[in-house]
Amino acid sequence: MCKNLVEKGNLDKPLILFNRTKKRSDDLASALGADKTRVVETINDVVKSADIIFMCLGDDAAVNSTVSTILEEDVKGKLIVDASTVHPDTTNDLEKRLTSKGAEFVGMPVFGAPAMADSGSLICVLAGPASSVDKVKPFTKGVMGRADIDYSNQPAGNATLMKVIGNTFILNMNEVLSEGHVLAEKSGLGTQNLHAWIETMFPGPYAAYSNRMLAGDYYKRDEPLFHVDLARKDARHAMDIAEKAGASVPALKVADAHLKQVKEHLGDKGDIPSIYGAVRKESGLKFENKD
């Protein structure tokens, strides 16, 4: 996201960078160009220096802690944009906390793997006052993303509600693919025959995740694209939303149970398509599909 803000965002000042692990900011600044970026030491330095502040963090606790630090400074007239995937109740609470101190706030979670972020192909979901959303749009479609889903004048939490529900589709897609490939292998159809059908019938994400499963990427990758802990966090948020709304999500519960097995087997290497290994193991096969 930062790469595309620098390269395509038409910024008139250096992009201010902060990461809790400073080396990451330093490495990114080096890659993007020292004249185009400025690394700062603290969140407080960010707030003092920037008018528009984007944040993207791993969970609700990190987001709440960061906003508490932001609010140590004068935020009147500043625009805070949160790209984190958190519970919509958290987002709505952030909106109240920040706007009560004179700041503007936009919820802006994004859909897309790291490669899509690098290429500027994310899908950005924006919610909040239209005047605030309009200030963010020059940096979304055509810069960080390929498309916007615009919920202007809706509660900021609608953006993260969309993101959490959308992520259940990704979880359930991997569950269905895993069950299908295991059934194809054990029934004699063969996984390659099934994959050929998937590529023809469901090109795009289905075919991509199917490829990762059959290639063994689901257990060989040292750095997961969608960490199992983050996937389970999103599943918990979705199940909480469903319970409060009186909705049934049995497929999601199955996928989450398999993610629990993934964590036990792979630890921090666990990824969403690693569900395939858990389904294989339940069906009497080895977790890993290759020797």
Side-chain angles (χ1 to χ4, degrees):
M1 294 169 73
C2 293
K3 169 180 175 289
N4 289 297
L5 280 171
V6 167
E7 293 179 353
K8 297 182 287 185
N10 294 315
L11 304 180
D12 57 3
K13 297 178 182 178
L15 181 68
I16 299 167
L17 302 175
F18 171 79
N19 191 293
R20 288 173 292 180
T21 304
K22 185 173 180 293
K23 185 178 184 301
R24 293 184 178 179
S25 294
D26 290 336
D27 290 346
L28 182 58
S30 177
L32 296 178
D35 60 324
K36 298 177 181 178
T37 59
R38 179 162 69 90
V39 175
V40 296
E41 299 285 339
T42 69
I43 295 171
N44 303 74
D45 293 332
V46 173
V47 181
K48 291 173 183 176
S49 304
D51 296 318
I52 301 177
I53 301 163
F54 288 88
M55 59 182 185
C56 187
L57 296 150
D59 59 29
D60 301 59
V63 170
N64 279 319
S65 175
T66 298
V67 168
S68 292
T69 304
I70 288 172
L71 288 172
E72 292 174 1
E73 305 297 331
D74 181 7
V75 296
K76 188 174 181 179
K78 296 183 183 291
L79 170 58
I80 316 299
V81 185
D82 186 19
S84 312
T85 301
V86 294
H87 196 292
D89 289 350
T90 298
T91 304
N92 288 330
D93 182 60
L94 295 179
E95 184 174 31
K96 291 176 183 176
R97 291 174 66 193
L98 287 160
T99 56
S100 71
K101 299 297 183 180
E104 298 179 66
F105 180 75
V106 170
M108 195 203 75
V110 297
F111 287 99
M116 293 175 67
D118 287 342
S119 65
S121 301
L122 296 170
I123 297 172
C124 303
V125 187
L126 302 104
S131 58
S132 301
V133 170
D134 286 344
K135 292 179 182 179
V136 182
K137 281 185 173 181
F139 308 108
T140 55
K141 186 177 179 181
V143 180
M144 293 188 291
R146 65 176 174 84
D148 292 341
I149 299 176
D150 187 350
Y151 295 158
S152 289
N153 289 328
Q154 296 185 33
N158 276 12
T160 40
L161 179 57
M162 176 67 253
K163 179 63 190 297
V164 170
I165 293 175
N167 277 0
T168 69
F169 280 63
I170 298 170
L171 280 169
N172 290 335
M173 173 173 58
N174 277 274
E175 178 68 34
V176 168
L177 283 167
S178 299
E179 293 178 14
H181 276 309
V182 169
L183 179 58
E185 180 173 346
K186 298 208 71 172
S187 67
L189 174 66
T191 56
Q192 290 301 328
N193 282 341
L194 180 63
H195 180 71
W197 174 79
I198 291 167
E199 286 190 311
T200 304
M201 191 75 179
F202 302 113
Y206 272 89
Y209 277 114
S210 177
N211 262 319
R212 291 185 63 195
M213 290 176 183
L214 297 189
D217 178 82
Y218 69 93
Y219 67 89
K220 294 178 179 178
R221 180 183 291 273
D222 289 327
E223 293 290 335
L225 297 180
F226 197 149
H227 195 288
V228 60
D229 290 347
L230 298 181
R232 294 205 70 202
K233 177 261 296 180
D234 293 351
R236 287 193 300 272
H237 285 340
M239 288 187 285
D240 178 72
I241 292 165
E243 182 179 357
K244 290 176 179 176
S248 176
V249 286
L252 181 61
K253 293 179 180 178
V254 172
D256 181 57
H258 285 142
L259 285 173
K260 181 180 179 182
Q261 296 175 38
V262 166
K263 178 69 173 182
E264 292 168 354
H265 191 89
L266 291 176
D268 284 333
K269 290 177 64 175
D271 205 334
I272 282 187
S274 307
I275 288 173
Y276 181 40
V279 176
R280 287 176 57 83
K281 195 171 179 180
E282 276 188 356
S283 302
L285 300 170
K286 288 180 59 179
F287 188 100
E288 296 80 7
N289 67 338
K290 297 181 183 295
D291 295 328

